[in-house]
Amino acid sequence: MAENKNDETTSGKVLNKLFEIIGGILALFIIYSLWNNYSQDKFFYKEIYQQAETALRRDFENVSDLEVDEYDRDRITELGVTVCDLGEGNLRYQVYNVSVHATYYNGSYKISPDIKVYYYDNSQVTAEGVDPSVPSHYHASGVLENFRNAYSEAERRGYEAIDKWKQKMTE
């Protein structure tokens, strides 16, 4: 009887040890998965910030002492999805708003323009605005492009207002 009880405790110890090993492996796998997702997200958002910084530097290319602040994830806001033509046809872009803090003229002027960065991922589920033959890419609308777009929109609305006024006057 004592020998049978000894076998049960030995097999119980082996089983407990096996569960500890399996639990440890699962915990390591979960930690690795979480770290891998965090690293990929960090790399992706750093790339978005880099695209916005490049657009800002392009717009301020004549300013020799432009200093741009370091990457900060809190300055990137996801705006949603839009289908638009940015030179590759009507594609489905994920839109991000990036606030880039910079100084120039030895810190005399501080700016924090909002720059929209569009990201097209060709591995999206096939839907409207998805073309797998177009490679994944980024498009950043710089400060000057934002001014041009705002001016064009204001001009368009002005013409619409004039047309409405003209229509009311002729009725």
Side-chain angles (χ1 to χ4, degrees):
M1 183 89 170
E3 193 177 299
N4 195 12
K5 191 171 192 167
N6 194 17
D7 286 342
E8 288 177 15
T9 58
T10 305
S11 63
K13 287 179 183 179
V14 169
L15 192 58
N16 283 338
K17 198 59 151 173
L18 184 63
F19 282 136
E20 286 178 14
I21 292 170
I22 291 172
I25 291 171
L26 286 174
L28 288 174
F29 178 73
I30 290 171
I31 291 171
Y32 172 76
S33 296
L34 291 173
W35 177 255
N36 192 26
N37 286 341
Y38 170 76
S39 297
Q40 288 176 351
D41 281 351
K42 187 174 180 181
F43 175 77
F44 178 71
Y45 285 112
K46 274 189 168 186
E47 182 63 29
I48 288 174
Y49 191 83
Q50 181 65 39
Q51 294 291 324
E53 181 181 338
T54 301
L56 181 69
R57 288 188 186 283
R58 182 183 63 230
D59 290 343
F60 283 79
E61 66 186 348
N62 294 330
V63 177
S64 62
D65 66 342
L66 181 70
E67 292 184 27
V68 179
D69 284 1
E70 293 292 318
Y71 160 79
D72 184 357
R73 170 63 180 95
D74 294 336
R75 295 185 189 148
I76 301 172
T77 307
E78 190 173 322
L79 298 178
V81 177
T82 187
V83 176
C84 58
D85 186 359
L86 299 174
E88 302 281 342
N90 282 333
L91 296 176
R92 186 172 191 237
Y93 289 92
Q94 183 68 41
V95 184
Y96 298 89
N97 189 50
V98 182
S99 179
V100 180
H101 300 291
T103 59
Y104 58 98
Y105 290 130
N106 296 323
S108 300
Y109 296 100
K110 295 180 181 179
I111 57 172
S112 296
D114 289 336
I115 297 174
K116 286 192 176 48
V117 177
Y118 298 83
Y119 174 65
Y120 173 72
D121 182 8
N122 69 349
S123 65
Q124 299 175 65
V125 175
T126 303
E128 177 190 0
V130 178
D131 183 359
S133 65
V134 177
S136 299
H137 62 276
Y138 296 92
H139 175 83
S141 64
V143 178
L144 297 178
E145 188 175 339
N146 289 340
F147 284 140
R148 283 187 209 104
N149 292 343
Y151 178 77
S152 296
E153 181 66 19
E155 186 177 42
R156 184 187 63 77
R157 287 184 181 174
Y159 286 130
E160 287 176 0
I162 291 170
D163 290 343
K164 286 180 184 177
W165 177 77
K166 183 179 176 183
Q167 186 180 11
K168 284 183 181 179
M169 296 303 283
T170 57
E171 289 178 352

